[in-house]
Amino acid sequence: MSECHAALREVGDASLRLLSVSVNGKPLPAIARILDSPEQGLLVSRVDLERWELIVPPEILALQHLGKVYYPLNHLEGLTYSIDGASQVLVLQAAPRQLVGSSIDLALSALSVPQEGVAGGFLNYDVLHQSRSDISNSTSGILEVAGFNQWGLMTTTLLARDGHAAYGDSRLVRLTSNLRHDDPAHLRTLTLGDTYSRAGAWGRSVLYGGVQWGTNFTTQPDFTTFPLPNIEGEATVPSSVEIYANDRQQAQNSVNAGPFSVSNIPVITGANDVRLIVRDVLGREQVVVSSFYASQQLLRSGLHDYTYEAGAIREDYSRASNEYGRGFLVANHDVGVSDSFTGGLRLEALAAQQTAGVSGAWLVHPGLGVVTGALAGSTAQAGEGGLASLGLEHRGRHLSFGASTTATTQDFRQLGLREETSPASWTTRANIGTRLPQGGAFGLGYADIVRRDDMDSRIVSANYSTRLSSDASLSLYASRELVSHESFVGISLSMSLGERTSVSVGHDSDGQGYRNRLQLQRNAPRGNGVGYRLSAEQSSEQRDGVSTDVSAEVAVRGDHGAYLLQAARYEGETGYRLNATGGVALLAGNMFVTRRIDDSFGIVKVGEYPDVTVYSENQRVATTNGNGVALIPDLRSFERNRLSFEQADIPLGARLDGRDATIVPGYRRGLLVDFKVKAADGALLTVIQPGGEPIPAGATIRHSGATQRFPVARRGEAWVTGLGADNQLTAQWGNHRCHFTARMPTNAGPMPRIGPLLCQESP
């Protein structure tokens, strides 16, 4: 450092001044040591300039005085200053660009990492029995068995049929088996076994057995993959900033004087109007307005989304357990080249068949939307072929539209398309929709498929919906097939009759007949409860005349499962269906029979206290059993789940570290939450002196040899915890000290009383 200073020009004659400082009218608390040079004017150290939040240009003149470096204020562009001699204040006026300013990042908090739990498992069952008067009864069931530990989650699903399995299908079939390992810290997942391939921009998805490794953004639900808006502005003095997106306030922050930036403003997908209101201490406002288009087809600049897969295509799914066909390799990799362009590459390799292609998504303009495109080529036994596609998407607050078209040559082949099957020549889709006043909406659609091996299809459709009141809505829809000249029109009216109950009526017709429908439905609650559905339908066909069909179902949800009973009469035949679903959870030596486990679950332990109410997100979900344990079967994977219990349900003197816990379970994992509630082993002691008087209020009692003290109240009473069967205790007040023995009674109850106990003073 000294060598660096030696190279600087030395300040000549200069005097030291101690001054208060104010920047743009804001007084600063610290006194500054400032040099006053006849040649260079006022000289200030870098430490003071940084404390005043002024930007120090790298090319500014640096001077040395007594081994310290100073900078002349008159070399700072955009800065004016003066000294108020009466108050000895250095008054600085800086342009906003000369100030360091502020940076506000509205991105959500740091990514959450799921907590590691103990090994466990679960079992799900789904049993269906159905009967019709014209055919034999049939029963089938699906059984899912899963286990998890620190290495991952392994699941196997089996399908069982009774003796009426058709078409030579096996009576017991393995559906899928896989091992899944998540890496949320790096947003990745590895799957071994049966899974579905990722389609990418132009591919097809298939069920296969093998290995899949790639990004999995669902392991961090708060992570936003698409670009978010950033807005910059300037504040002359410290101000407040209100951030709005589509007239909805997203945040409010304070900024220092100078330039500021607000990044990662939360918006919905589609067109957004972003507005910043900057308000200073005098109430003056400036408004910064910007338009932004958010699309899930775009990746943030520099963000990668990839999947690499190898395996064999599953054959005869649900009919055979271990039939696998052609092997393949697939690589799919997308990257956010910039916030307005995302590019992708996909490679597929099968025996005697290879396919490769590129894709892209480009944000042309917020008012137009995102343009997508893809080009692919293949080589196979059928020959060489190609694919080209182009699309446009725009989702606005009042108007949305989109269109896409895909063309292929006859010999184009890709994963998921059988080698002997030719793809459609052209596939074109288009839609436009608008929001109407009073909550209405209107849309038009068009779909055109030109096939090589089958009849073409060309359909136009229209739909309209509106809200008649807060509880009623009306829908109209119509479509026409331009090739076969078939038309379809319909109308539907639905009305809410309460929180979970609704009624609907409808009518639709085509060239062959009509249908009239009436339905009354009450949905089952999220927790335990009952739901039902009653429906009646009258239909008329030109050949069969008029028929009336009725059906009814009752759904019951309980702690141990969910049950559905359906009965229907259709075309003169009567049938019924009974469906039962449920599960068994195993964790940390606990087993619970419960509803089906589709997501994560938790086992809550509240000491050994029974009948304690347990809450999830402040909603009552369970009650502890005789061992103080309760099951919560529907926690949200990779998200923060807040659990608590009712403190009033445990004894008054119980000791607890807390009654709230926030947990983040992994995918379909179980977590044990132990609230560490223990019996206080306390009692209300009444202690007296040898003369019969109670020891005075304000005295303290402690276990002999311990440091914790318990205060004595009136009448010599004190609540003392940590008591065993026999206890030696000491009481002290002023210069007095005495000893006594307390014996905990058998079956003491929740709040025992002991005494009076005679306290003998020490000799």
Side-chain angles (χ1 to χ4, degrees):
M1 180 68 73
S2 60
E3 294 179 359
C4 179
H5 288 178
L8 298 179
R9 174 184 170 186
E10 186 73 28
V11 178
D13 185 24
S15 59
L16 177 65
R17 304 189 66 171
L18 301 178
L19 300 174
S20 299
V21 180
S22 130
V23 179
N24 288 0
K26 177 184 178 182
L28 302 180
I31 301 296
R33 298 170 58 89
I34 298 174
L35 294 181
D36 192 350
S37 168
E39 296 182 1
Q40 302 293 341
L42 297 185
L43 304 176
V44 182
S45 69
R46 176 179 288 271
V47 173
D48 283 331
L49 290 174
E50 292 176 349
R51 187 168 63 245
W52 302 344
E53 298 182 344
L54 293 174
I55 296 176
V56 183
E59 68 278 4
I60 190 173
L61 175 66
L63 302 171
Q64 181 176 272
H65 181 70
L66 299 180
K68 295 184 178 181
V69 179
Y70 291 86
Y71 302 93
L73 287 181
N74 54 21
H75 281 228
L76 294 177
E77 183 181 357
L79 178 73
T80 61
Y81 63 89
S82 62
I83 296 178
D84 186 338
S87 58
Q88 289 296 291
V89 175
L90 173 62
V91 180
L92 301 172
Q93 290 292 330
R97 66 179 182 277
Q98 189 62 41
L99 297 169
V100 174
S102 307
S103 178
I104 301 172
D105 190 346
L106 298 182
L108 296 174
S109 57
L111 301 180
S112 58
V113 177
Q115 297 160 261
E116 291 291 338
V118 297
F122 60 87
L123 178 150
N124 286 324
Y125 65 87
D126 188 336
V127 180
L128 175 65
H129 175 79
Q130 53 187 351
S131 174
R132 284 180 55 181
S133 57
D134 60 336
I135 62 174
S136 302
N137 298 344
S138 64
T139 303
S140 61
I142 294 178
L143 180 67
E144 180 185 26
V145 182
F148 52 83
N149 57 19
Q150 70 273 20
W151 299 107
L153 169 72
M154 177 172 283
T155 61
T156 294
T157 306
L158 303 172
L159 170 63
R161 303 182 180 94
D162 61 13
H164 298 93
Y167 309 111
D169 298 340
S170 301
R171 297 178 62 180
L172 180 64
V173 178
R174 183 186 63 86
L175 296 179
T176 59
S177 301
N178 60 53
L179 171 65
R180 166 173 166 159
H181 174 76
D182 295 309
D183 182 9
H186 298 93
L187 300 165
R188 293 189 299 234
T189 292
L190 171 67
T191 303
L192 304 175
D194 298 308
T195 189
Y196 284 92
S197 65
R198 285 182 56 175
W202 52 267
R204 295 169 180 254
S205 180
V206 297
L207 176 63
Y208 72 97
V211 56
Q212 180 186 84
W213 180 78
T215 50
N216 184 2
F217 297 123
T218 64
T219 60
Q220 295 290 351
D222 292 339
F223 183 77
T224 303
T225 60
F226 54 83
L228 294 175
N230 306 317
I231 295 185
E232 297 179 349
E234 290 184 347
T236 306
V237 296
S239 306
S240 65
V241 175
E242 298 176 3
I243 302 103
Y244 292 85
N246 294 334
D247 299 325
R248 181 176 180 180
Q249 187 175 21
Q250 300 294 335
Q252 182 173 357
N253 294 81
S254 298
V255 296
N256 299 324
F260 65 86
S261 64
V262 183
S263 58
N264 294 315
I265 300 173
V267 294
I268 61 175
T269 55
N272 292 267
D273 295 324
V274 182
R275 179 165 50 98
L276 267 65
I277 300 178
V278 185
R279 186 178 294 109
D280 63 21
V281 293
L282 299 179
R284 294 174 298 190
E285 292 184 356
Q286 59 171 311
V287 180
V288 181
V289 179
S290 176
S291 296
F292 187 84
Y293 191 88
S295 173
Q296 292 185 342
Q297 299 187 74
L298 298 172
L299 293 174
R300 290 185 177 187
S301 177
L303 182 63
H304 293 254
D305 185 10
Y306 54 86
T307 303
Y308 301 100
E309 303 171 277
I313 301 173
R314 186 74 181 267
E315 303 282 355
D316 292 331
Y317 178 71
S318 79
R319 300 183 60 184
S321 298
N322 300 298
E323 293 294 330
Y324 293 91
R326 293 188 297 170
F328 68 89
L329 297 172
V330 169
N332 197 98
H333 199 123
D334 298 327
V335 60
V337 180
S338 67
D339 279 351
S340 60
F341 180 77
T342 295
L345 172 66
R346 180 177 176 87
L347 304 174
E348 301 177 355
L350 293 83
Q353 176 182 316
Q354 295 80 41
T355 309
V358 295
S359 60
W362 176 36
L363 176 59
V364 181
H365 186 274
L368 181 61
V370 175
V371 173
T372 59
L375 290 172
S378 69
T379 177
Q381 293 180 353
E384 297 181 349
L387 172 147
S389 69
L390 185 65
L392 171 66
E393 173 208 72
H394 175 84
R395 297 178 59 186
R397 299 177 63 185
H398 304 291
L399 179 66
S400 298
F401 53 85
S404 66
T405 183
T406 300
T408 64
T409 64
Q410 183 172 355
D411 295 331
F412 178 74
R413 297 294 184 267
Q414 62 183 135
L415 182 68
L417 185 67
R418 294 186 178 275
E419 190 173 2
E420 66 275 9
T421 303
S422 297
S425 299
W426 285 90
T427 302
T428 302
R429 292 181 174 86
N431 65 276
I432 185 171
T434 182
R435 295 182 181 274
L436 302 175
Q438 309 300 323
F442 176 74
L444 294 173
Y446 174 76
D448 184 6
I449 303 177
V450 180
R451 300 180 175 91
R452 291 187 171 91
D453 303 326
D454 202 350
M455 180 182 294
D456 297 343
S457 176
R458 190 173 299 114
I459 301 174
V460 293
S461 61
N463 63 82
Y464 168 78
S465 63
T466 186
R467 184 170 292 277
L468 302 178
S469 67
S470 59
D471 299 324
S473 60
L474 175 69
S475 298
L476 302 172
Y477 39 91
S479 65
R480 181 169 178 81
E481 221 296 339
L482 301 181
V483 176
S484 63
H485 304 292
E486 295 179 352
S487 299
F488 178 86
V489 295
I491 182 173
S492 175
L493 174 65
S494 61
M495 179 179 297
S496 173
L497 302 180
E499 182 179 356
R500 296 187 290 115
T501 307
S502 62
V503 62
S504 63
V505 294
H507 170 84
D508 57 64
S509 64
D510 54 24
Q512 305 299 320
Y514 68 86
R515 289 192 309 162
N516 296 321
R517 304 182 308 278
L518 171 64
Q519 178 174 288
L520 174 66
Q521 180 169 328
R522 180 174 177 82
N523 297 323
R526 178 187 174 190
N528 297 345
V530 179
Y532 59 83
R533 181 178 62 85
L534 303 173
S535 65
E537 179 178 304
Q538 183 187 65
S539 60
S540 172
E541 300 291 341
Q542 290 182 351
R543 296 180 179 179
D544 301 331
V546 178
S547 64
T548 301
D549 306 315
V550 294
S551 64
E553 69 177 44
V554 177
V556 180
R557 289 171 57 90
D559 289 333
H560 300 145
Y563 313 95
L564 178 66
L565 174 62
Q566 297 175 307
R569 184 167 180 81
Y570 177 72
E571 294 184 349
E573 301 292 339
T574 302
Y576 68 88
R577 177 181 299 167
L578 177 62
N579 183 216
T581 63
V584 177
L586 302 169
L587 187 71
N590 298 280
M591 183 179 75
F592 284 88
V593 178
T594 180
R595 295 192 295 268
R596 178 181 173 86
I597 297 174
D598 292 315
D599 207 336
S600 299
F601 66 94
I603 289 184
V604 176
K605 182 173 177 57
V606 188
E608 296 182 355
Y609 296 104
D611 303 323
V612 178
T613 302
V614 178
Y615 299 92
S616 176
E617 308 297 343
N618 294 323
Q619 298 292 321
R620 177 179 177 177
V621 292
T623 303
T624 58
N625 61 17
N627 297 320
V629 179
L631 172 73
I632 304 177
D634 52 358
L635 297 179
R636 303 181 307 278
S637 298
F638 303 117
E639 296 186 33
R640 293 178 176 86
N641 296 259
R642 181 175 175 270
L643 307 180
S644 59
F645 66 89
E646 182 59 63
Q647 189 169 349
D649 291 344
I650 64 174
L652 181 63
R655 292 179 295 173
L656 63 153
D657 296 333
R659 57 176 296 269
D660 297 280
T662 300
I663 61 173
V664 182
Y667 177 70
R668 303 190 77 186
R669 301 291 194 93
L671 283 181
L672 176 65
V673 183
D674 191 348
F675 280 106
K676 303 294 184 184
V677 181
K678 298 181 179 179
D681 296 328
L684 185 65
L685 308 184
T686 301
V687 186
I688 61 174
Q689 303 178 55
E693 293 292 324
I695 62 175
T700 59
I701 295 175
R702 62 179 175 85
H703 292 272
S704 297
T707 58
Q708 184 181 7
R709 297 178 181 271
F710 303 93
V712 177
R714 297 169 56 188
R715 299 186 297 274
E717 296 179 340
W719 176 260
V720 180
T721 61
L723 296 173
D726 291 293
N727 307 273
Q728 301 297 323
L729 301 108
T730 299
Q732 184 176 350
W733 66 96
N735 295 325
H736 298 276
R737 178 179 296 178
C738 62
H739 304 277
F740 64 96
T741 300
R743 181 184 296 273
M744 182 70 86
T746 305
N747 300 324
M751 193 169 180
R753 293 174 174 267
I754 306 176
L757 303 170
L758 179 61
C759 191
Q760 299 285 351
E761 291 198 18
S762 302

